Amino acid sequence: RLGGLSHFDFCVCCGYLRRARSVVAKAFKEGGKKGVEIEGAADTSGLTCFCTRMQSSDGNIKLLEAAMEGMNAVPDPEDPEERKGCSGHIAKLIISENEKAGAIAMVAYVPEDMKDKLNAIEWMKSVCETDLGGGVGGAPDDSSTDVWATCTAVEDKENFFFLKMKDNTLSAAIGYLREKGLFQDDESDDEGDNAAADFEW
């Protein structure tokens, strides 16, 4: 027996840990790739904030946090061909849904040098409390800070319905940026081209 576990139980635990690490690594990798795309968009358009959905986190807040960490990862200077992350200077709100559980996980990140313009908790609140049709619901977790906020909103089938919540999250997150003057798109009256308006959000 190993630490009170039978050999079978020990092998089951090891298998579970390997699968868990693999799922986390997948979420981190997706974030790393998306981070490079965001960096490229920022270089061409000057965008400072970004909102998007992530595919690998399955509505799990811990996996979504891993994805955000992947987005913010600092690239290895000795391996320039394998760039990952690179977008720690961009404020981001990312979203992941789990339709079966009726849950939507969200993580908001604000770089330190943008704290005077944007607050992660307030950004998250604006999504949770949106008055867009059907709303979103939820509230920032107690562990949230001005630069890192998390939330998992769950449908209750009385006030909040998953499909409407899903439709509203991204629009509410971008709408708050517009109100703060941090998102320039095709509706802006500013002169000049805006490459960010053509980027797939």
Side-chain angles (χ1 to χ4, degrees), residues 75-94:
D76 183 353
E78 297 183 3
D79 190 7
E81 295 185 3
E82 190 64 22
R83 288 177 59 78
K84 296 177 182 178
C86 312
S87 68
H89 58 299
I90 304 294
K92 297 177 287 291
L93 191 149
I94 58 177

Side-chain angles (χ1 to χ4, degrees), residues 16 23 27 38 43 48 50 56 62 80 82 89-90 93 97 114 131-132 138-139 162-163 173-174 184 197-198 201:
Y16 173 79
V23 171
I38 295 170
D43 287 346
T48 58
F50 191 84
S56 301
K62 295 300 182 185
E82 190 64 22
H89 58 299
I90 304 294
L93 191 149
E97 302 103 354
M114 286 191 66
D131 58 4
L132 289 175
F162 175 79
L163 292 179
I174 294 174
Q184 180 188 342
D198 299 322
W201 290 74

